[in-house]
Amino acid sequence: MRDFAALYAALDATNKTSEKVAALVRYFRTAPPADAAWATYFLIGRRPRQAVPVARLRAWAAEAAGIPDWLFEECYATVGDLAETIALLTGQATAEGALTDRPLAVWIEETLLPLRAADPETQKGMVTAAWAALGVRERFVWNKLITGAFRVGVSQKLVARALAEVSGLDEPTIAHRLMGDWQPSAAFFARLIAPADADRAEPGQPYPFFLAYPLEAKLPTDARGRLLDADPAAFAQTLEAALGAVSDWQAEWKWDGIRAQLIRRQGQTFLWSRGEELVTDRFPELAAIGEHLPEGSVLDGEIMPFRDGHPLPFSVLQTRIGRKTLTRKVLSEAPVVLFAYDLLELEGRDVRSQPLRWRRAQLERLVAETNHPALHLSPLVQADSWEALAHCQKASRARHAEGLMLKRLDSAYGVGRVVGDWWKWKVAPYSVDAVLIYAQAGHGRRAGLFTDYTFAVWDGDPAAGGRLVPFAKAYSGLSDAEMRRVDAFIRANTLEKFGPVRAVKPQLVFELGFEGIQRSARHKSGIAVRFPRILRLREDKRIEEADTLDAIRALLPS
């Protein structure tokens, strides 16, 4: 545990990619295989379910520290991180625990995993014994693990890069081996870094997804990071200068669904989401496609709600996500199809290195031969010029699409996000002007600052007695300097306190952006928005100039 906690500290202490990779390489070169397997598991974002309810941990920590609950909550509000608060309160900062050198795998397999099945009293004894046995840094990491909140600033790509350096394999091979449903063990880690000629993929193992860069990373933008695309003719010239001839590219609609891979191997069908969740049982109509696919086929595509020849809003798909039981009613009210984008494996052969134009031709043939009602070929957007394509992109929302995907016709199917071959060209977000009415302190590096905001819009004309109603919450989009300014305003203009939440004098107006909008009976405004974020602070506007619910309802799709 000591070495893993030291690795966490090293990764958390730097923003430099080279230093993060170096720290990972040092750890993996010396860690026992079982520890290295668990470290890999956590570092790429996987984690066991939360072992103990947070409320119990808070109560036990306050008791162990000998302080009342209210004082613990004040400490938590100041520190901003539960794991760190408990680590600091349950032992001396200079203490060295008796079991700090106990291997990470032993901590996980003999203490953390059995916690979930234990009764509360047994849990309490196991958790408090761990706090007493570990030093402060190790306690902090341990608390992150038992709360299910372990995160550190490395991507799966960086972990794969470090493991490639340790093993002598190439990064794509490691990335592929990290995909799918595997359990941490010494045997797994041995297979992970085994020579390439020993590679034996499991039948259901997916490939790493190829991801696109936003077009904003390639083209000029305004001060808010938006593409300068208001004039299609001028923007077309910019596109041609940056990307070359439009004939070199394949354009598709960027659908708003769930990215997935459909796999047919050894008589079995597997459906994996981009989040590496096996969702075969959640979409039985898509699993049924597999029986009609040739053996050794892997398709990349998008799970889309679909009826009567048309895509449906993402909100329809949400009605199926997370349901434990898929009734006939649910399946009929939220029918889905797979829009196939790409072909990754054909007759058991990995074809990702083939150019896109070849893969697309084979995909078209395969979809036609399969002839299944739930399998659709993602349609191409035909345009003979960048200007014509720009006009198509502007019409994306009418098709329930988020914009366009641009893919170079001679591109291979890569691993992760690679600059140059695939670009996502999203339509500008919806935007409204809203008033800040509530604020709450952030967590982690934002601890001590009010950075989580609730915004309101007018229900009725403000000049005729209209009232502000909560509309959306957002916490991203401001610079550090702007956050400090808003924090100072909140502290000076707090009207009431409700636990950690402060009601603020309605004075600041913000422009909010969001990707989707729908009616919602669960929200006071009657409207829910998707991916809300702050676009800018509107110091040029008075609160009376904020948007009204009527104006926002006009944005709802018909």
Side-chain angles (χ1 to χ4, degrees), residues 15 90 119 202-203 556:
N15 290 323
T90 54
D119 61 79
E202 295 296 320
L556 287 164

Side-chain angles (χ1 to χ4, degrees), residues 110-133:
E110 296 185 8
T111 304
L112 188 149
L113 296 182
L115 267 176
R116 192 178 301 110
D119 61 79
E121 278 305 309
T122 303
Q123 284 183 337
K124 179 181 179 181
M126 295 168 71
V127 169
T128 54
W131 288 341

Side-chain angles (χ1 to χ4, degrees), residues 79-315:
V79 174
D81 184 281
L82 180 62
E84 186 176 2
T85 304
I86 294 174
L88 293 172
L89 288 175
T90 54
Q92 297 296 320
T94 57
E96 285 297 329
L99 297 180
T100 295
D101 288 332
R102 191 183 185 198
L104 173 66
V106 175
W107 274 107
I108 302 303
E109 294 165 11
E110 296 185 8
T111 304
L112 188 149
L113 296 182
L115 267 176
R116 192 178 301 110
D119 61 79
E121 278 305 309
T122 303
Q123 284 183 337
K124 179 181 179 181
M126 295 168 71
V127 169
T128 54
W131 288 341
L134 291 167
V136 172
R137 186 162 68 181
E138 291 76 23
R139 268 201 308 275
F140 169 67
V141 173
W142 172 248
N143 292 336
K144 288 287 188 183
L145 294 175
I146 61 176
T147 58
F150 182 90
R151 294 181 188 85
V152 68
V154 294
S155 64
Q156 184 162 330
K157 187 177 181 66
L158 285 190
V159 176
R161 186 184 304 178
L163 289 168
E165 184 173 335
V166 170
S167 64
L169 298 167
D170 59 66
E171 190 177 323
T173 297
I174 294 291
H176 187 197
R177 293 178 179 182
L178 286 174
M179 296 291 291
D181 185 17
W182 52 269
Q183 296 302 312
S185 66
F188 166 77
F189 192 75
R191 292 195 301 272
L192 179 63
I193 62 173
D197 57 8
D199 202 9
R200 294 290 184 271
E202 295 296 320
Q205 188 171 27
Y207 291 101
F209 284 85
F210 192 22
L211 307 177
Y213 257 88
L215 200 56
E216 289 84 348
K218 180 73 171 177
L219 302 181
T221 59
D222 62 18
R224 287 178 284 166
R226 295 181 180 180
L227 288 170
L228 301 171
D229 60 354
D231 180 354
F235 188 63
Q237 295 179 357
T238 304
L239 280 169
E240 184 151 14
L243 303 179
V246 70
S247 58
D248 292 336
W249 295 83
Q250 173 178 297
E252 301 172 62
W253 299 110
K254 186 184 186 305
W255 300 113
D256 186 14
I258 298 174
R259 184 86 177 272
Q261 283 181 32
L262 181 64
I263 299 171
R264 182 67 176 182
R265 296 192 189 113
Q266 297 183 18
Q268 302 176 74
T269 301
F270 307 88
L271 186 67
W272 288 94
S273 73
R274 180 185 150 190
E276 295 189 51
E277 182 183 3
L278 189 61
V279 295
T280 320
D281 293 340
R282 310 306 304 155
F283 300 100
E285 59 268 70
L286 303 186
I289 298 171
E291 298 178 8
H292 301 266
L293 287 174
E295 186 68 24
S297 299
V298 179
L299 279 62
D300 178 19
E302 194 92 5
I303 300 172
M304 285 290 297
F306 195 84
R307 181 185 284 117
D308 299 331
H310 300 285
L312 302 173
F314 185 82
S315 57

